[in-house]
């Protein structure tokens, strides 16, 4: 068996495995989606979640189709490739959107921070797409559209993603240890723990993708494409599920402080947070504690 065949089959196996994983996760969590998402109003959170959930499914399905079918007789697969790329982009952007909302909630709905994160996200997307196209046209030759390969310039996009994840991780760690140091709320724990797990997994997957794209023979380049997409979609969806489940058993967080959890509970003045203070009834009361409000 030639090295080319081994590389292509490896990429196939990882892609089919990713498809199996996202279907399995969907079967495991559809009941949570029905309970926690369906029937809720179509606000920004639900729209972003729906894009994350179903663009991931469709994007992974298209990548799997490209991996397991013989398209060598096709004259062009540009349209198929553009649609698949678009679904990948929508899924990842929507997943990052959920993470932005999570960070926004963790920072007590700081509008300045939200605007800053959205501007940074838009700049990162434009930079990732634009720079990769420029690098591709100047230094690399893209593979034929009907081959199951990714151009080496795609590594640039993962660099931008890693930088953005690191920014969100630093913001989360700073807030966790500067404001929530003494907090024992399940919701605070879910916001912090799930976010750190998500960002760590995305950073590791992105670094792996850069290595595979640049350092391994071209037939392996799509090995981590579908798995990274699935990691984004599955973890982002589970963050939202965990938050909405946490609010059902945590009455210590005030209504409106954490919009991701759709809380309707009353505060418990006995629960301490950073500096021995308590969660109060209005977010404005936290302004002295949160200079970014």
């Amino acid at each position: 068996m030639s090295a080319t065949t081994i590389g292509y089959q490896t990429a196939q196996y990882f892609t089919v495995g990713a498809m199996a994983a996202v279907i399995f996760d969907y079967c495991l969590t559809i009941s949570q989606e029905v309970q926690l998402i369906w029937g809720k109003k179509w606000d920004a959170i639900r729209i972003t979640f729906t894009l994350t959930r179903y663009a991931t499914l469709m994007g992974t399905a298209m990548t799997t189709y490209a991996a397991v079918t013989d398209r060598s007789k096709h004259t062009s697969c540009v349209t198929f490739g553009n649609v698949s790329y678009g679904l990948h982009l929508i899924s990842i952007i929507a997943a990052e959107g959920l993470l932005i909302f999570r960070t926004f909630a963790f920072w007590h709905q700081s509008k300045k921070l939200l605007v800053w994160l959205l501007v940074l996200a838009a700049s990162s997307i434009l930079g990732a797409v634009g720079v990769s196209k420029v690098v591709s046209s100047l230094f690399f030759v893209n593979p034929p559209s009907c081959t199951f390969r990714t151009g080496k310039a795609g590594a640039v996009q993962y660099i931008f993603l890693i930088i953005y994840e690191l920014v969100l991780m630093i913001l989360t760690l700073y807030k966790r240890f500067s404001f929530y140091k003494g907090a024992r709320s399940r919701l605070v724990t879910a916001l912090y723990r799930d976010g750190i797990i998500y960002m760590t997994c995305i950073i590791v997957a992105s670094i792996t993708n850069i290595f595979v794209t640049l350092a391994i023979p071209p037939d392996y380049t799509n090995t981590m494409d579908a798995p990274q997409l699935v990691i984004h979609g599955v973890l982002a969806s589970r963050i939202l599920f965990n938050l909405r489940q946490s609010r059902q058993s945590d009455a210590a967080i005030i209504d409106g402080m954490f919009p991701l959890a759709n809380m309707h509970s009353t505060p418990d003045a006995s629960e301490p947070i950073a500096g021995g203070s308590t969660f109060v009834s209005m977010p404005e009361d936290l302004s002295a504690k949160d200079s970014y409000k």
Side-chain angles (χ1 to χ4, degrees):
M1 184 179 294
S2 67
T4 299
T5 303
I6 293 174
Y8 181 69
Q9 288 185 345
T10 300
Q12 282 183 315
Y13 293 150
F14 273 78
T15 301
V16 173
M19 186 74 237
V22 74
I23 292 175
F24 181 64
D25 177 77
Y26 185 82
C27 293
L28 288 179
T29 58
I30 184 59
S31 60
Q32 291 175 289
E33 181 178 345
V34 172
Q35 177 187 359
L36 302 171
I37 307 297
W38 291 13
K40 302 293 189 297
K41 66 178 181 178
W42 283 93
D43 55 7
I45 301 297
R46 185 176 179 186
I47 292 171
T48 306
F49 165 81
T50 302
L51 288 174
T52 301
R53 181 86 153 167
Y54 293 96
T56 298
L57 278 168
M58 292 186 289
T60 308
M62 292 189 72
T63 303
T64 303
Y65 174 82
V68 301
T69 57
D70 181 9
R71 300 186 296 164
S72 59
K73 296 181 181 179
H74 296 186
T75 57
S76 176
C77 301
V78 173
T79 301
F80 181 92
N82 287 339
V83 173
S84 178
Y85 177 76
L87 287 171
H88 280 60
L89 201 60
I90 290 171
S91 174
I92 291 175
I93 291 174
E96 291 301 309
L98 287 178
L99 197 62
I100 289 173
F101 284 126
R102 184 210 67 86
T103 306
F104 172 61
F106 204 58
W107 277 72
H108 302 115
Q109 301 184 64
S110 170
K111 292 182 175 61
K112 290 182 180 179
L113 180 70
L114 178 61
V115 171
W116 186 81
L117 287 176
L118 291 175
V119 170
L120 180 61
S123 302
S124 298
I125 294 167
L126 293 175
V129 175
V131 173
S132 64
K133 288 186 179 296
V134 171
V135 170
S136 177
S137 62
L138 293 178
F139 302 104
F140 300 112
V141 177
N142 286 326
S145 61
C146 291
T147 59
F148 190 57
R149 292 181 183 177
T150 301
K152 290 185 178 296
V156 173
Q157 299 181 18
Y158 295 115
I159 294 174
F160 277 90
L161 180 59
I162 290 172
I163 294 172
Y164 194 77
E165 295 295 341
L166 286 174
V167 170
L168 293 179
M169 182 177 286
I170 291 170
L171 288 171
T172 300
L173 290 171
Y174 172 78
K175 199 65 173 178
R176 176 66 177 88
F177 292 104
S178 66
F179 190 89
Y180 296 109
K181 189 174 182 180
R184 295 188 298 273
S185 163
R186 293 183 184 180
L187 189 54
V188 170
T189 300
L191 279 166
Y192 171 72
R193 179 201 60 211
D194 291 353
I196 293 298
I197 290 174
Y198 174 94
M199 289 178 280
T200 301
C201 289
I202 295 303
I203 290 171
V204 171
S206 298
I207 292 173
T208 304
N209 244 320
I210 292 173
F211 175 77
V212 169
T213 302
L214 297 179
I216 293 182
D219 291 297
Y220 290 88
T221 53
N222 261 356
T223 299
M224 284 296 296
D225 185 33
Q228 172 133 12
L229 181 66
V230 170
I231 290 171
H232 270 283
V234 167
L235 293 185
S237 298
R238 284 181 174 266
I239 283 177
L240 185 57
F241 292 150
N242 288 344
L243 287 174
R244 293 198 168 179
Q245 286 178 328
S246 295
R247 63 95 175 175
Q248 295 177 351
S249 58
D250 187 355
I253 312 299
I254 63 171
D255 181 25
M257 180 179 291
F258 295 101
L260 281 177
N262 285 342
M263 298 203 59
H264 301 286
S265 55
T266 57
D268 181 356
S270 65
E271 179 167 357
I273 60 172
S277 60
T278 60
F279 285 110
V280 291
S281 58
M282 293 296 291
E284 289 82 354
D285 294 337
L286 291 169
S287 58
K289 197 92 175 145
D290 186 359
S291 60
Y292 292 85
K293 181 73 177 175

